[in-house]
């Protein structure tokens, strides 16, 4: 009960206090913007801000209902990536699915599912893990309602796998807060594996990255359970998938930053503080080279350095990096190094 109360209070503070101090992202229209180029700026370049501006342009200028809806969902995703959660939520709530004149009930259902999905992403990042699980279960239900699983498109299958992945994250995060740890870790691994099983069959050049994230989260589950042998096996698998993804999308250097942060977390937990420090510094160096640095990724690495210096008794340095983590992503004040 104490762990559940703590988790609820932290989530309340993240939503009610931190959200209010983050200014909205300034979105600039881009000439020649379209859905394809907006998606590629994210998936191939890791340019979240540029992608947000292109999606914003399409959303505010298109007269086609489906194109406008897809632009809205893409824009919201980039706002989430950049940490502007209040702005993202308001966009979703201000654009009711009923206001889009889709030509089929199936499209209405899928758009409703995408709205629930993005609300789930926001809840996850604001540490409302039970809320995130609830949103992603609703999202999955909309997809299941729209057609039989055997008739799903690749997009629908990928969407469903994402819902499984984030329910796994919600289970893991509840376990990390001390809520029914053994059961939640066990269930989290199952959801991550289910998502990976679905992803392996996708015709998508981002598949390796998705599999890498799945392995990374399973590794975290095993670390939380104290099984570092199994965690090491999944960290190695994650590295292989990250490298494979970077061969597909070489400009996405941030994939290696995700891996180095995971490796640093593992090294901290086994007492190899010196190696962990090197991992986090390397991850930060990679983040600095990104067109649009991922705020939470920067904060994770800074928190890692803060923890490492704290363990070595270098408290001023620990405080310095803790402040940098908060500056990069204010929600990190409530969060440990749990990736994403």
């Amino acid at each position: 009960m104490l762990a559940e109360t703590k988790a609820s209070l932290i989530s309340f503070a993240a939503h009610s206090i931190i959200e209010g101090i983050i200014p909205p992202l300034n979105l600039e229209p881009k000439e020649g913007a379209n859905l394809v180029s907006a998606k590629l700026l994210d998936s191939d370049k890791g340019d979240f801000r540029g992608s947000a501006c292109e999606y914003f342009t399409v959303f505010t200028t298109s007269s086609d209902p489906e194109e406008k809806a897809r632009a809205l969902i893409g824009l919201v995703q980039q706002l989430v990536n950049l940490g502007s959660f209040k702005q993202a939520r308001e966009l979703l709530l201000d654009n009711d699915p009923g206001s889009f004149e889709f030509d089929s009930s199936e499209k209405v259902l899928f758009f409703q599912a995408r709205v629930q999905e993005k609300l789930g992403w926001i809840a996850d990042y604001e540490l409302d893990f039970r809320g995130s699980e609830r949103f992603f279960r609703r999202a999955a239900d909309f997809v299941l309602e729209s057609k039989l699983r055997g008739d799903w498109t690749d997009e629908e299958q990928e969407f469903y796998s994402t819902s499984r992945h984030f329910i796994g994250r919600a289970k893991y995060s509840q376990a990390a807060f001390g809520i029914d740890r053994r059961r939640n870790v066990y269930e989290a691994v199952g959801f991550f594996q289910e998502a990976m099983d679905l992803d392996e069959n996708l015709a998508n050049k981002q598949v390796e990255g998705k599999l890498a994230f799945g392995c990374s989260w399973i590794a975290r589950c095993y670390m939380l359970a104290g099984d570092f042998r199994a965690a090491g096996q999944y960290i190695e698998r994650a590295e292989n998938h990250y490298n494979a993804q970077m061969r597909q999308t070489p400009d996405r250097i941030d994939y290696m930053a995700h891996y180095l942060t995971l490796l640093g977390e593992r090294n901290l937990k086994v007492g190899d503080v010196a190696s962990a420090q090197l991992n986090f510094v390397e991850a930060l160096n990679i983040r600095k080279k990104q067109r649009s640095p991922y705020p939470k990724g920067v904060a994770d690495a800074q928190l890692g350095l803060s923890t490492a210096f704290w363990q070595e008794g270098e408290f001023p340095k620990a405080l310095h990096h803790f402040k940098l983590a908060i500056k990069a992503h204010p929600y990190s004040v409530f969060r440990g190094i749990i990736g994403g």
Side-chain angles (χ1 to χ4, degrees), residues 34-137:
N34 58 72
L35 292 179
V36 174
S37 60
K39 182 176 181 179
L40 289 176
L41 280 172
D42 173 0
S43 63
D44 288 17
K45 304 292 184 181
D47 184 357
F48 306 132
R49 183 178 292 273
S51 178
C53 289
E54 291 225 3
Y55 277 124
F56 170 74
T57 303
V58 177
F59 173 64
T60 55
T61 60
S62 178
S63 58
D64 179 81
E66 186 172 359
E67 184 177 58
K68 191 177 182 72
R70 288 183 177 276
L72 171 64
I73 295 301
L75 170 57
V76 166
Q77 181 62 61
Q78 301 316 311
L79 293 175
V80 170
N81 290 341
L82 294 164
S84 190
F85 305 130
K86 181 179 180 181
Q87 187 178 9
R89 184 189 299 104
E90 288 178 347
L91 272 170
L92 289 172
L93 298 181
D94 289 345
N95 290 276
D96 185 86
S99 65
F100 292 84
E101 297 179 359
F102 294 111
D103 58 13
S104 72
S105 59
E106 185 179 299
K107 289 179 181 178
V108 173
L109 283 172
F110 192 56
F111 181 60
Q112 290 174 323
R114 297 308 302 264
V115 169
Q116 294 298 309
E117 175 211 14
K118 298 312 174 192
L119 290 171
W121 276 77
I122 295 167
D124 176 271
Y125 276 69
E126 290 192 331
L127 297 94
D128 180 9
F129 304 119
R130 286 190 168 173
S132 176
E133 180 178 350
R134 185 168 59 252
F135 282 122
F136 276 101
R137 287 189 183 278

Side-chain angles (χ1 to χ4, degrees), residues 188-207:
V189 171
F191 279 110
F192 291 133
Q193 189 59 60
E194 183 182 358
M196 290 168 65
D197 290 343
L198 288 165
D199 290 335
E200 286 177 341
N201 298 315
L202 293 174
N204 184 322
K205 71 176 181 178
Q206 302 298 323
V207 165

Side-chain angles (χ1 to χ4, degrees), residues 223 228 231-232 235 261-272:
M223 284 192 281
F228 290 94
I235 290 173
T261 303
L262 174 67
L263 191 60
E265 181 180 0
R266 180 261 180 197
N267 284 331
L268 271 184
K269 290 183 181 295
V270 299
D272 189 354

Side-chain angles (χ1 to χ4, degrees), residues 261 264 268 276-277 280 299-309 321 325 337:
T261 303
L268 271 184
Q277 286 177 321
F280 295 129
D300 282 343
Q302 293 287 9
L303 280 174
L305 280 173
S306 177
T307 304
F309 282 121
H321 286 285
I337 310 164

